[in-house]
Amino acid sequence: MNVLNRLLSIGAHYKPRFWDAGADRRQGQTLFNYRKFWFASIALRSAVSLVPIAILFMFTYVLENKAIRNENHLHTIRLTSNTRRALTYFLEERLDALKFIAQEEKFDSLNSPESLSNMLRHLQRGFGGVNDLGLINAAGVQTNYAGPFNLKNRDYSSQKWFIGCVQNGSYLSEVFLGYRNVPHMIVAFKRVLADGSFYMLRATLDVSKIVQILSSLELSEKSEAFLCNREGVLQTPSKYYGGLLEKVDLPIPEYSKHTQVLEALDRSGNPILIGYAY
């Protein structure tokens, strides 16, 4: 009660002396309505002081939002580009090693089970991520194999990777199950002989190594990185958008040569930022 009385006392102290006096009707209500003048004066002073502050605040707010948005886009582009380079290096390094073996080693050495097993061990020690090696003849039959599965004499002539390697000289497959019913990737290289015939050296890559590369990225709690093909089938598992070899629950952006960022909505309608690189 004392506080209320104190506040009323302070208010009475600052209240204008004319506040309780009525307007002088003899001189005209409009000209000598001091209350109206007082309110108009307060309103004018408030407008002159507060409107510029409000405009400055809105201007600053818009600029800060734009700066934060640009910073998020740049960070996403940088992270996506670095990830693409890391994955490209991982895959090309193993393909180059396969090319080197196919070109430097004689056919008899590649066709020897013991020799091919030694090559596989060297690859696993030097590079990692290689599960097996196989020698395939021009008919698509695997004549020699080193690895944990019984795949010798398998016919790959109708496989997409074999046809692609015949046409292009080398091939990097998507993740698929194949005869072994285990998710894996294929890198293959075709060596053409002097008489026009050829043979292929093929290696199987461990998908878990790619998952490790993506898992090592420094991402925020609700962010993630994954690999998918152009049809949207996940090549590595996703925490939020599907499992391995499932269709990703996101829009697939159009092809671009360069790393891009787009704003989209997830299945719950929440805004998300997507960085992508083909």
Side-chain angles (χ1 to χ4, degrees), residues 65-78 273:
N65 271 0
K66 186 175 181 181
I68 292 172
R69 182 172 176 269
N70 290 340
E71 178 62 27
N72 287 337
H73 279 227
L74 288 173
H75 175 73
T76 305
I77 287 177
R78 206 158 42 235
L273 199 62

Side-chain angles (χ1 to χ4, degrees), residues 144-161:
N144 194 17
Y145 174 79
F149 300 96
N150 183 21
L151 297 176
K152 188 174 180 180
N153 297 322
R154 288 283 188 177
D155 186 356
Y156 293 105
S157 59
S158 62
Q159 296 291 313
K160 181 180 178 180
W161 66 263

Side-chain angles (χ1 to χ4, degrees), residues 20-278:
D20 295 325
D24 191 343
R25 299 182 180 276
R26 292 174 302 173
Q27 298 298 326
Q29 179 112 4
T30 305
L31 185 60
F32 295 97
N33 192 332
Y34 293 109
R35 285 192 182 184
K36 183 182 292 185
F37 287 159
W38 188 82
F39 277 121
S41 176
I42 293 298
L44 183 60
R45 289 170 183 266
S46 299
V48 169
S49 59
L50 295 179
V51 169
I53 294 175
I55 294 175
L56 180 62
F57 174 79
M58 289 188 293
F59 185 69
T60 304
Y61 177 78
V62 170
L63 287 180
E64 286 184 352
N65 271 0
K66 186 175 181 181
I68 292 172
R69 182 172 176 269
N70 290 340
E71 178 62 27
N72 287 337
H73 279 227
L74 288 173
H75 175 73
T76 305
I77 287 177
R78 206 158 42 235
L79 183 62
T80 306
S81 297
N82 291 340
T83 305
R84 174 169 65 175
R85 280 192 288 270
L87 290 175
T88 300
Y89 177 77
F90 173 84
L91 296 172
E92 289 184 347
E93 184 182 45
R94 280 139 189 83
L95 180 58
D96 289 342
L98 198 70
K99 289 179 181 179
F100 178 80
I101 293 173
Q103 291 173 336
E104 294 298 320
E105 296 290 338
K106 297 182 182 297
F107 177 80
D108 292 340
S109 179
L110 295 173
N111 204 35
S112 164
E114 182 179 355
S115 178
L116 194 66
S117 296
N118 288 332
M119 295 175 198
L120 176 61
R121 280 194 294 272
H122 291 317
L123 280 176
Q124 291 172 335
R125 289 173 185 169
F127 296 97
V130 180
N131 287 337
D132 58 21
L133 276 176
L135 181 69
I136 294 98
N137 63 21
V141 177
Q142 188 158 248
T143 58
N144 194 17
Y145 174 79
F149 300 96
N150 183 21
L151 297 176
K152 188 174 180 180
N153 297 322
R154 288 283 188 177
D155 186 356
Y156 293 105
S157 59
S158 62
Q159 296 291 313
K160 181 180 178 180
W161 66 263
F162 179 82
I163 297 171
C165 191
V166 170
Q167 295 173 346
N168 302 316
S170 62
Y171 193 82
L172 171 65
S173 79
E174 296 177 355
V175 177
F176 67 107
L177 298 178
Y179 289 127
R180 65 197 71 194
N181 201 33
V182 175
H184 62 283
M185 298 177 71
I186 295 294
V187 287
F189 176 74
K190 180 181 74 171
R191 180 177 179 182
V192 180
L193 302 176
D195 60 0
S197 62
F198 68 88
Y199 58 84
M200 288 182 193
L201 190 61
R202 185 201 73 159
T204 301
L205 302 185
D206 189 354
V207 181
S208 65
K209 288 294 183 180
I210 295 177
V211 175
Q212 287 178 12
I213 294 174
L214 298 176
S215 300
S216 66
L217 301 174
E218 295 183 0
L219 301 174
S220 61
E221 182 181 355
K222 294 185 178 181
S223 300
E224 67 166 326
F226 52 81
L227 188 67
C228 70
N229 65 12
R230 300 192 181 200
E231 287 72 45
V233 178
L234 284 163
Q235 309 291 283
T236 60
S238 164
K239 291 188 294 184
Y240 304 112
Y241 303 107
L244 183 65
L245 297 179
E246 293 181 0
K247 189 72 177 290
V248 67
D249 190 15
L250 284 174
I252 303 302
E254 295 181 357
Y255 173 79
S256 173
K257 290 182 179 179
H258 308 290
T259 304
Q260 300 288 342
V261 173
L262 60 86
E263 297 174 358
L265 298 176
D266 63 13
R267 57 181 174 271
S268 301
N270 299 316
I272 56 175
L273 199 62
I274 301 176
Y276 70 94
Y278 273 78

